[in-house]
Amino acid sequence: MKTDNNPFLGASQAALAAECARMSRELNAPARTSEDRLERRHRVSLLLSAASARLTPATNGHYVSRHEIENDPTDFVDAYLDSHIELTRQNRYRILVKAAIAALGPARAQDWIRDSRVGDPRGKTYEMAQDSDDGLRRVLVHLAALRS
């Protein structure tokens, strides 16, 4: 059991969501041994730690502290603009998830978000949706066409 690093840190929000869903299914199955239970507990702990770090409103992976912006006034604007950009990306992703669930149903939505390629076959759909309002609009138009 690894304790020195977290394999989920740095994972995209979609990857974390997929892993959370997988872990939820796994936790519903009985563990065979006490070692299995301990390993699951450890992985859930790592996953929750990474998910909470990913969901925290952040700038470059950390909070904007008063100390950081008090020392250099030019950092004040940059820190808050960077935070705005990250929060906007997170909100676009949340809108994508809601739209995918509405269009495809909860059972298919996460797989579609993870695997689909709208437009450029080299890029992930969720990345397009997160990167700009125009990208989100293109993905939403595609989802509207897929509705059952």
Side-chain angles (χ1 to χ4, degrees):
M1 177 176 358
K2 287 185 178 181
T3 58
D4 56 344
N5 64 12
N6 186 336
F8 304 113
L9 286 177
S12 69
Q13 195 163 345
L16 282 174
E19 186 60 26
C20 285
R22 189 195 68 70
M23 184 61 67
S24 175
R25 289 188 302 272
E26 184 178 325
L27 289 174
N28 284 323
R32 293 183 209 149
T33 66
S34 60
E35 289 82 15
D36 285 346
R37 283 189 293 280
L38 288 173
E39 179 61 26
R40 282 182 183 179
R41 189 174 105 187
H42 178 68
R43 286 193 344 255
V44 168
S45 173
L46 293 173
L47 182 59
L48 288 173
S49 177
S52 68
R54 179 73 171 109
L55 295 174
T56 300
T59 301
N60 298 325
H62 65 283
Y63 285 111
V64 179
S65 72
R66 287 181 65 173
H67 175 74
E68 290 174 305
I69 59 178
E70 287 173 353
N71 292 333
D72 184 355
T74 59
D75 288 345
F76 183 89
V77 172
D78 291 339
Y80 284 98
L81 286 176
D82 288 348
S83 182
H84 165 72
I85 290 167
E86 178 58 27
L87 288 170
T88 301
R89 287 179 52 79
Q90 291 176 14
N91 282 331
R92 286 186 194 117
Y93 183 81
R94 288 181 181 104
I95 296 298
L96 170 64
V97 170
K98 288 179 182 181
I101 290 169
L104 306 170
R108 292 181 42 219
Q110 197 60 47
D111 290 338
W112 184 87
I113 291 169
R114 183 188 62 239
D115 299 332
S116 68
R117 306 276 198 276
V118 173
D120 183 358
R122 296 169 296 171
K124 299 269 190 173
T125 297
Y126 68 85
E127 291 169 344
M128 178 194 304
Q130 284 180 308
D131 287 345
S132 70
D133 289 342
D134 183 56
L136 178 60
R137 175 178 287 286
R138 285 185 286 171
V139 173
L140 292 175
V141 167
H142 184 80
L143 275 170
L146 293 178
R147 285 187 301 174
S148 306

